[in-house]
């Protein structure tokens, strides 16, 4: 499953391959409050299809109109929020200002570039793009330690793209459902792992991807890199421990398990008996989530996703310091 930047780039690739012109809008600078961070994308096709977001919705309509009526033929900068009229018209929050780089793309010139970026993102490989205002674009190679984010000097954009954070939720239930909904809204890619037929057969949320594979196999194949988080939510040691044993031996940025302090200590003891050393066990976040304190499934899910968001920020900061 793909989402976020990977989804936008795949849409661009699809439109170009179909012979459409495309405009890729990238936030390169913000001042004041902004609903979307630097590096966010909105892609617009000449037939009016779009993917991604650069605001809370206030700018997208104008960008769709602009590209349809007067799509630029070379990359240009567009500013929003400079005047009081802008702020009133587009409802930019708190007097904020956004600068966008708009790149026109056509298959004959740009499809190979877009295909390589799309492939890198789908294969979870970091990649860095370089775009010159009024000029061309290129790639500056792939680097496993590349810093995530945007560097823009007013003329040249260097945009480093890293894999998006992917979550594996082990165990179906109300907590898992709420975690999936909240984490998806926070731009994590979420998969539910449920090998128990009784729980899998009763899962009523088809929009949340469900795998019936054993969690250790799924982690080994699809959730074993540093941009992955694994959450044990089954409350069943037969399922949770299997996944945690694999997760704690992987470079996953987040490994957590639901349960009380007493349950968590018993879990650590079992995992130690299975061969995990203290360094691996120290990575386990259990009890999972921030202490708000939470009681209902929705409250527990909020505490978990808040902790995930904090951990994702720490991961990106750590990557930026390399």
């Amino acid at each position: 499953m793909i989402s976020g930047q990977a989804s936008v780039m795949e849409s661009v690739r699809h439109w170009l391959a179909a012979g459409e012109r495309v405009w890729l809008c990238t936030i390169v600078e913000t001042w004041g409050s902004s609903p979307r961070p630097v590096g966010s994308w909105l892609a617009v096709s000449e037939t009016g299809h779009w993917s991604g977001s650069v605001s809370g919705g206030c700018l997208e309509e104008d960008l769709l109109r602009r590209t349809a009526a007067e799509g630029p033929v070379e990359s240009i900068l567009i500013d929003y929020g400079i005047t009081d009229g802008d702020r009133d018209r587009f409802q930019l929050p708190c007097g904020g200002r956004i600068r966008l780089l708009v790149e026109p793309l056509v298959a004959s010139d740009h499809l190979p570039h877009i295909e390589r970026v799309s492939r890198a993102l789908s294969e979870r490989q970091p990649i860095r793009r370089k775009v010159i205002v009024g000029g061309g674009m290129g790639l500056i190679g792939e680097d496993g330690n590349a810093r995530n984010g945007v560097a823009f000097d007013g003329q040249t954009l260097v945009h480093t793209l890293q894999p998006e954070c992917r979550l594996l939720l082990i165990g179906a239930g109300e907590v898992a459902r709420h975690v999936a909904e909240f984490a998806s809204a926070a731009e994590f890619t979420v998969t539910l792992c449920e090998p128990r037929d009784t729980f899998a057969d009763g899962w009523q949320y088809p929009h949340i991807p469900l795998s019936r594979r054993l969690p250790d196999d799924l982690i080994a194949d699809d959730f074993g890199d540093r941009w992955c988080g694994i959450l044990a939510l089954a409350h069943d040691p037969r399922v949770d421990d299997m996944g945690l044993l694999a997760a704690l031996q992987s470079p996953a940025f987040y490994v957590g398990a639901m349960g009380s302090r007493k349950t968590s200590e018993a879990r650590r003891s079992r995992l130690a008996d299975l061969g995990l050393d203290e360094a691996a066990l120290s990575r386990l976040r259990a009890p999972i989530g921030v202490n708000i304190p939470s009681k209902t499934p929705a409250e527990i899910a909020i505490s978990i996703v808040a902790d995930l968001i904090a951990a994702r920020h720490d991961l990106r900061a750590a990557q930026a310091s390399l």
Side-chain angles (χ1 to χ4, degrees):
M1 180 181 180
I2 57 175
S3 68
Q5 289 179 319
S7 179
V8 173
M9 193 51 56
E10 179 59 19
S11 295
V12 172
R13 188 203 64 77
H14 175 75
W15 295 330
L16 289 177
E20 293 191 56
R21 292 180 299 163
V22 179
W23 290 269
L24 181 63
C25 310
T26 306
I27 299 180
V28 294
E29 290 181 287
T30 64
W31 296 265
S33 179
S34 170
R36 298 287 293 156
V38 167
S40 297
W41 277 336
L42 171 70
V44 182
S45 77
E46 66 177 309
T47 54
H49 294 96
W50 58 274
S51 178
S53 173
V54 291
S55 76
C58 49
L59 304 185
E60 278 74 6
E61 183 178 2
D62 186 70
L63 285 166
L64 287 166
R65 179 191 57 78
R66 281 196 187 200
T67 51
E70 52 190 71
V73 296
E74 62 180 27
S75 53
I76 63 169
L77 295 173
I78 297 177
D79 286 316
Y80 287 98
I82 296 176
T83 67
D84 290 339
D86 276 352
R87 287 188 284 273
D88 292 339
R89 179 182 175 191
F90 300 114
Q91 300 176 5
L92 294 174
C94 305
R97 177 180 163 196
I98 295 174
R99 173 167 289 168
L100 299 171
L101 175 63
V102 180
E103 303 171 62
L105 306 173
V106 294
S108 58
D109 295 332
H110 305 117
L111 184 56
H113 172 100
I114 295 301
E115 286 179 332
R116 185 173 169 191
V117 175
S118 182
R119 183 169 60 250
L121 291 176
S122 66
E123 294 175 354
R124 300 180 64 73
Q125 296 296 320
I127 193 163
R128 184 181 287 122
R129 302 183 67 232
K130 180 179 180 180
V131 183
I132 300 173
V133 177
M137 66 179 65
L139 298 174
I140 317 177
E142 301 175 18
D143 179 359
N145 290 324
R147 297 185 180 187
N148 194 44
V150 167
F152 183 65
D153 63 7
Q155 184 64 29
T156 301
L157 165 70
V158 176
H159 191 181
T160 303
L161 304 162
Q162 289 182 340
E164 291 155 321
C165 289
R166 178 183 288 175
L167 296 182
L168 181 65
L169 312 183
I170 302 172
E174 279 298 284
V175 171
R177 177 174 74 88
H178 287 298
V179 169
E181 299 285 6
F182 298 155
S184 296
E187 299 187 351
F188 291 91
T189 302
V190 181
T191 298
L192 175 69
C193 171
E194 183 48 87
R196 301 169 296 179
D197 288 341
T198 300
F199 289 92
D201 290 344
W203 185 249
Q204 298 296 311
Y205 308 98
H207 62 290
I208 300 171
L210 170 67
S211 172
R212 293 173 179 254
R213 297 178 62 193
L214 294 174
D216 52 339
D217 291 338
L218 200 52
I219 290 166
D221 290 344
D222 298 319
F223 293 86
D225 65 43
R226 59 187 163 187
W227 293 282
C228 289
I230 296 97
L231 285 62
L233 307 175
H235 255 318
D236 183 342
R238 297 171 302 170
V239 179
D240 285 341
D241 290 3
M242 189 186 307
L244 291 172
L245 190 63
L248 291 169
Q249 297 179 86
S250 78
F253 82 96
Y254 190 101
V255 182
M258 186 169 63
S260 66
R261 293 189 181 279
K262 182 178 179 180
T263 299
S264 298
E265 289 307 313
R267 179 184 292 111
R268 285 188 172 89
S269 179
R270 291 195 306 272
L271 292 172
D273 290 342
L274 291 171
L276 286 185
D277 59 26
E278 189 57 37
L281 288 170
S282 68
R283 298 180 54 223
L284 178 61
R285 297 171 184 251
I288 198 171
V290 297
N291 184 14
I292 46 181
S294 52
K295 296 294 183 183
T296 68
E299 290 175 345
I300 294 169
I302 288 169
S303 77
I304 291 170
V305 175
D307 201 32
L308 279 166
I309 291 169
R312 181 172 62 184
H313 283 297
D314 290 343
L315 171 69
R316 290 173 175 171
Q319 287 299 116
S321 66
L322 292 176

